[in-house]
Each structure stands twice: as structure tokens, then as C-alpha cells.
Amino acid sequence: MERKILYLVAVQNTLQYEWQNAAESKNLRNVVDFPNFFRKIKLQVVLNEQRRKTAMEITPLIGCSINCRYCPQSRLLKTYKGAKEMYLKDFKEYLRKIPDEVAIVFSGFVEPFLAKDRIDMMEYADRIGRTIHLYTTLSGLNEETFERVKTINFQTVNLHLPDKNGYAKYH
């Protein structure tokens, strides 16, 4: 079984073209110009208090393998009695009940890309004109889903990177 891996490489703006040329010379595929990609999605800081008033957090899956130290996964898993995964048909029904001016935030208590219908839900919300925010570690994202994700018009993307204190368990 061929294993596909996505590498996220961060370089200073001054080294960006040097990196892209090196990647092309090594025949690396699907190199994305991240500064322009993030400018396209209007990367901005969203204050939690403001987000709570105007957005609905979507937790498409119960149980997250990232298991950040500050996240109450164990409590959630012990007390939650509903369905463990949200599917596109359910998501569409929920969106019908949420006012159009309320933004949709893919986050909650899970890495959104671990859920089965995650990209379908994001594409659907974008297609019907919803404001979409994404909070992610990129875990669960592969080359195929990345190609789809980069066409979605997110208002913000918050990328949770590994930290020196080891708050998240990336694998």
C-alpha cells in the first residue's frame, strides 16, 4: 500500500521562491504558495467572544486522536450519548435551522479532518454562501482532500501547529 504524506514547510517570505524552485527541481508535486493562499482566504484573528455571538461550532466527530492536553476529550467521551459522527445529510438539516448570518466554524472538540464527510460539509456550506471558519491541525488531510479544501472560501483558517510544550499529540 502506497503511503501518501503531506508536508507543510514554512519559510520566510524572502526564501519562498528559492523553496519553490528547489521543490520543482526535485519534482515535488502540489506545491502551494501559502502566503498568497492565506491572503486569498483573508486570514485574520477572530476573538472567541465575538465568534460565540455570531457563529455555530461544528464538531463533526466525537473522539479526537490529537488529544490536546487542554481539551476535555475524556469527559466528553464519558458523558456524550448522541451519534458519534455527523454526516452530510445531518449537516444540511442543521444548516437549515441556523440563520444565514451565523458563521459556521469547523472546530469544536475535534480535528475536523478526521470526520468522514468533512470536505463535503465544508464544500456544501461554501456552495450555499455561508461564512466558514476552520480551526485545524491538518491531521487527516491527504493530497486529494487538500486539493478540494484549497478551493473553499474560508473567512479564516487557524492552523494549530505543534508547540514546544507538547500540548497536542501529533502523529
Side-chain angles (χ1 to χ4, degrees), residues 50-57 98 101-105 133:
Q50 176 190 5
R51 195 167 42 99
R52 265 187 232 119
K53 292 179 183 174
T54 61
M56 172 63 73
E57 281 192 2
I98 300 170
E101 65 273 8
V102 174
I104 304 303
V105 180
H133 303 278

Side-chain angles (χ1 to χ4, degrees), residues 14 36 59 65 80 92 96 99 103 106 112 122 129 133 141 145 152:
T14 56
N36 286 330
T59 301
S65 61
Y80 185 78
K92 287 179 176 182
R96 281 193 268 284
F106 288 93
M122 293 172 189
H133 303 278
L141 191 64
T145 54
I152 298 170

Side-chain angles (χ1 to χ4, degrees), residues 58-61 64 66 85 105-119 121-122 133-141 154 158:
I58 301 297
T59 301
L61 182 69
C64 182
I66 305 300
E85 188 159 0
V105 180
F106 288 93
S107 172
F109 292 113
V110 73
E111 163 52 55
F113 291 120
L114 297 177
K116 181 181 175 218
D117 286 353
R118 72 244 181 234
I119 309 301
M121 289 185 265
M122 293 172 189
H133 303 278
L134 174 63
Y135 288 70
T136 182
T137 63
L138 299 179
S139 292
L141 191 64
F154 294 104
N158 183 316

Side-chain angles (χ1 to χ4, degrees), residues 68-125:
C68 298
R69 282 198 295 193
Y70 51 80
C71 186
Q73 279 297 310
S74 58
R75 287 184 178 168
L76 176 64
L77 289 169
K78 286 178 189 173
T79 60
Y80 185 78
K81 303 294 185 223
K84 298 291 186 200
E85 188 159 0
M86 181 186 302
Y87 296 99
L88 180 61
K89 67 179 180 59
D90 304 312
F91 179 71
K92 287 179 176 182
E93 182 61 29
Y94 300 145
L95 281 188
R96 281 193 268 284
K97 298 174 182 180
I98 300 170
D100 291 343
E101 65 273 8
V102 174
I104 304 303
V105 180
F106 288 93
S107 172
F109 292 113
V110 73
E111 163 52 55
F113 291 120
L114 297 177
K116 181 181 175 218
D117 286 353
R118 72 244 181 234
I119 309 301
D120 294 330
M121 289 185 265
M122 293 172 189
E123 287 174 335
Y124 177 75

